Amino acid sequence: MSTYAIQIQQTAMQLIQAGMPGTFKTFGLEPMLIINEADLPMVAVHIVRERRNALGDADIGPPKFRTELTLNISGSTKALTDEANQPSILEDWMSQLDTVLLRNPKFVNLSEGVLSMDRISQLAKVGETTLYEIRIEMVLQYTDWFEPIVPDDLKTIHVETRYPSPTSDPAEVQQVVAQYDLHQTQGTVADHAQPDADHQGLARPERRGSGPPRERPAAR
């Protein structure tokens, strides 16, 4: 997965940990094959899918994508045989995620919008432990572009002039040599970026003034 997708995943987990104290006991970013009863209740944030679609014409300019990132936020607790209100407690905790994430600008501003949210409840057996799980699949949208790496962007051009010519005998003709630098005066896209910066995954508010104008696909 891309570094920006991982950043969104980690931010979501940090906000859940800070915004829901006294609820979940274990927090995870990677799938677990073995879950012990002592780890429950637990919540995990996984990256399920990262799909990139061409933004505009794919054969014009540097690669640009409209990216759809699917996050899986999974909350689980032990499924008790007597149905002792465990599902309702987990339902309440998972409902709090709407407030913790969707009403927090730190998370919302990481994308250009939430396309969909799918909520699934199920019983699952992991090893010897039977879990009651609520899984939320959240699809976020943002834009990626990848500017070419240019070793020499000609921001400064060094000029050396010599008269009459380097082959002339200086004993016969006086040599006039001048050196100076020409600096570009017009701003470019690269002027706004840090060296070796990766524009991958910057959300729309961060890109106003830091990236190229959005191109509209040509009319067909």
Side-chain angles (χ1 to χ4, degrees):
M1 298 298 173
S2 67
T3 55
Y4 192 72
I6 295 173
Q7 179 183 340
I8 294 177
Q9 175 198 25
Q10 293 176 341
T11 301
M13 177 56 76
Q14 291 169 1
L15 294 176
I16 293 173
Q17 289 179 296
M20 301 184 65
T23 53
F24 296 104
K25 185 176 181 180
T26 306
F27 301 84
L29 294 174
E30 299 292 339
M32 300 175 63
L33 296 178
I34 299 177
I35 297 178
N36 298 317
E37 186 175 337
D39 298 328
L40 301 174
M42 68 176 298
V43 64
V45 180
H46 305 143
I47 299 175
V48 177
R49 184 180 300 106
E50 186 178 16
R51 178 178 176 81
R52 289 172 172 168
N53 300 298
L55 180 62
D57 293 326
D59 58 348
I60 298 179
K64 303 178 294 295
F65 302 101
R66 180 62 53 80
T67 302
E68 295 180 7
L69 174 67
T70 303
L71 287 182
N72 177 29
I73 305 174
S74 174
S76 56
T77 188
K78 183 180 179 181
L80 302 181
T81 56
D82 58 0
E83 303 292 338
N85 294 325
Q86 288 296 333
S88 62
I89 295 176
L90 187 60
E91 287 280 1
D92 179 64
W93 289 353
M94 297 302 288
S95 297
Q96 293 180 36
L97 293 177
D98 291 345
T99 299
V100 171
L101 297 180
L102 302 182
R103 300 183 66 178
N104 193 315
K106 185 176 181 180
F107 179 78
V108 174
N109 290 340
L110 290 175
S111 70
E112 296 173 2
V114 180
L115 295 183
S116 65
M117 293 179 66
D118 191 12
R119 186 182 179 113
I120 304 170
S121 301
Q122 64 180 10
L123 290 173
K125 192 171 184 62
V126 181
E128 298 299 323
T129 305
T130 302
L131 304 178
Y132 176 66
E133 178 189 26
I134 297 177
R135 186 171 69 251
I136 298 175
E137 290 189 358
M138 178 185 297
V139 181
L140 305 173
Q141 176 179 275
Y142 52 87
T143 304
D144 286 326
W145 71 78
F146 298 86
E147 296 291 338
I149 299 175
V150 182
D152 187 354
D153 55 8
L154 298 180
K155 284 187 176 182
T156 302
I157 302 176
H158 181 76
V159 179
E160 178 178 318
T161 63
R162 185 184 298 268
Y163 180 83
S165 70
T167 59
S168 300
D169 186 356
E172 297 180 358
V173 181
Q174 181 180 0
Q175 299 291 309
V176 180
V177 180
Q179 299 185 43
Y180 54 92
D181 292 333
L182 294 177
H183 300 281
Q184 291 187 14
T185 57
Q186 293 184 343
T188 63
V189 173
D191 294 333
H192 302 287
Q194 298 296 326
D196 302 324
D198 183 2
H199 294 283
Q200 169 184 303
L202 292 181
R204 182 183 302 163
E206 301 174 44
R207 293 185 172 187
R208 297 172 182 166
S210 67
R214 297 178 61 186
E215 299 181 15
R216 297 180 179 272
R220 300 295 183 187

